[in-house]
Amino acid sequence: MAEALLEVEHLKKYFPVNAGFLGRTVGQVKAVDDVSFHIRAGETFGLVGESGSGKSTVGRTILRLTDKTAGEVRFRGRDLHRIPEPELRSLRPKLQLIFQDPYSSLNPRVRVGDAIGEALLDHGLAPRGEIRERVLETLAACGLSSYHIDRFPHEFSGGQRQRIGIARAIILNPDLIVADEPVSALDVSIQAQIINLFRRLQETRGLTYLFISHDLSVVEHLCSRIGVLYLGTMMETASRDELFERPLHPYTKALLSAVPVPIPKLKRERIVLKGDIPSPANPPSGCKFHTRCPLAVGRCREEVPELRNVGSEHYVACHLV
Ligand code: SF4
């Protein structure tokens, strides 16, 4: 087994709920509640779940863009949340985030060439005289041309803006990229192009991805292993093939039943979950999925199922598996 680049162990991120004139803390939103997984160098780990499952908070907490409540995030064996600030700053280029909407992070008055090159300058990774050449190389690697270097963000389509977002990340030569719903806002044909770009960059630059998406069919095309998150808790992790061929958790089965299958004869029976995802401020007791699980039994309401290895690195948190 290749060495893990990133290890996440029992990660928790709770946000306080304040109320009243004095703003006293009256509760907690358990956005991430005991999440564990690892990513090996050069692989793509997909993190999936419905909106509100805590996927983005996992990504941001891993990158230490927000403090953790408990648990560990180790990058190359070191706990990222214990590294002193000055050292963390020099490590930042190695850990990059790509957003769903890169436009929101681009200054509309700054030419994209400058927006891409500024990070190199900020981190002192290249002398000013070399920046333009590095930006041109990176634009080309991301499928954009030299013509684009002096254009402004509003002159680009959604797919091109995502290429700019990717260029801004990869120009720093990162080891790990957290891509948070990077293709969700794009048309299906453009999604395929961006996924191919992610794949090509991984092959040529040895990148490692944490790919966050609500869409299992997107994750299927890019990820070698997948984790399924529900209400801030990991329900199942397995290799992509194992998860798609032998899903064990009732929640994973429900998500998979909604994924379109190209061969009509293989069509899965659709499992429609009742109700909405509960509030993370008041999560159900026992198994968090029990209020929507078609198989729930009495034990599920009381006992939290442990995430157990059922073989071949396939982990499931369900009393009935
Ligand atoms: Fe469903 Fe119970 Fe398994 Fe939770 S533990 S997924 S409620 S059967």
Side-chain angles (χ1 to χ4, degrees):
M1 183 175 98
E3 198 188 326
L5 182 77
L6 182 81
E7 295 158 283
V8 178
E9 277 184 21
H10 305 294
L11 186 65
K12 294 184 181 180
K13 175 63 191 177
Y14 298 170
F15 294 98
V17 178
N18 299 325
F21 181 65
L22 297 174
R24 276 192 314 156
T25 300
V26 294
Q28 287 176 316
V29 173
K30 297 182 175 180
V32 179
D33 197 14
D34 200 3
V35 166
S36 300
F37 64 95
H38 63 273
I39 312 181
R40 298 184 193 104
E43 84 169 345
T44 302
F45 187 90
L47 196 57
V48 296
E50 291 165 280
S51 164
S53 60
K55 310 178 294 290
S56 296
T57 310
V58 170
R60 296 181 64 82
T61 312
I62 283 174
L63 295 179
R64 205 173 142 183
L65 299 176
T66 179
D67 287 336
K68 66 177 183 181
T69 302
E72 277 199 7
V73 178
R74 288 194 296 275
F75 176 71
R76 296 195 183 284
R78 296 190 65 198
D79 188 344
L80 275 178
H81 285 254
R82 287 175 190 263
I83 293 177
E85 272 297 338
E87 197 183 337
L88 181 66
R89 182 169 159 71
S90 61
L91 198 60
R92 281 271 170 234
K94 295 289 167 200
L95 304 159
Q96 288 296 302
L97 175 65
I98 292 174
F99 305 92
Q100 176 179 352
D101 175 17
Y103 192 60
S104 61
S105 65
L106 290 169
N107 184 333
R109 286 183 289 275
V110 175
R111 294 176 202 276
V112 300
D114 295 334
I116 294 169
E118 73 185 0
L120 274 180
L121 274 178
D122 283 354
H123 290 282
L125 294 177
R128 193 169 281 277
E130 278 179 24
I131 301 284
R132 193 171 174 88
E133 195 183 326
R134 293 277 299 273
V135 171
L136 285 169
E137 272 170 23
T138 310
L139 283 173
C142 293
L144 294 165
S145 75
S146 56
Y147 160 81
H148 293 117
I149 195 167
D150 292 320
R151 306 284 109 205
F152 289 95
H154 72 268
E155 298 176 71
F156 292 84
S157 66
Q160 285 175 323
R161 283 178 196 156
Q162 195 49 280
R163 288 176 192 271
I164 295 167
I166 295 169
R168 287 221 304 180
I170 67 160
I171 199 166
L172 295 174
N173 229 356
D175 290 334
L176 175 71
I177 291 182
V178 174
D180 189 359
E181 300 273 12
V183 298
S184 305
L186 305 175
D187 292 344
V188 175
S189 61
I190 308 295
Q191 281 188 357
Q193 292 173 15
I194 299 296
I195 286 172
N196 285 337
L197 174 62
F198 272 109
R199 197 180 284 137
R200 194 167 66 241
L201 291 171
Q202 184 169 52
E203 284 164 9
T204 53
R205 294 170 181 246
L207 296 170
T208 303
Y209 298 132
L210 171 61
F211 195 91
I212 295 170
S213 176
H214 68 280
D215 188 343
L216 263 169
S217 53
V218 167
V219 163
E220 182 184 11
H221 291 296
L222 191 68
C223 302
S224 42
R225 285 187 311 120
I226 296 170
V228 180
L229 207 59
Y230 183 79
L231 216 48
T233 300
M234 198 68 97
M235 296 286 144
E236 184 164 11
T237 67
S239 69
R240 180 208 33 215
D241 293 348
E242 176 85 0
L243 196 91
F244 274 77
E245 283 162 25
R246 202 170 73 99
L248 296 176
H249 197 282
Y251 180 55
T252 313
K253 289 180 183 175
L255 288 183
L256 275 173
S257 76
V259 174
V261 183
I263 305 166
K265 266 203 282 185
L266 294 180
K267 205 169 185 303
R268 301 180 185 99
E269 194 185 331
R270 182 79 197 265
I271 303 167
V272 181
L273 293 175
K274 53 184 183 207
D276 293 326
I277 189 164
S279 165
N282 187 21
S285 59
C287 172
K288 287 182 174 176
F289 187 54
H290 85 251
T291 54
R292 300 171 80 196
C293 179
L295 306 178
V297 293
R299 183 183 175 197
C300 305
R301 281 185 279 280
E302 283 144 30
E303 255 180 73
V304 179
E306 191 191 335
L307 190 68
R308 288 178 300 114
N309 188 353
V310 293
S312 312
E313 281 201 78
H314 190 155
Y315 291 81
V316 192
C318 174
H319 294 309
L320 302 191
V321 175

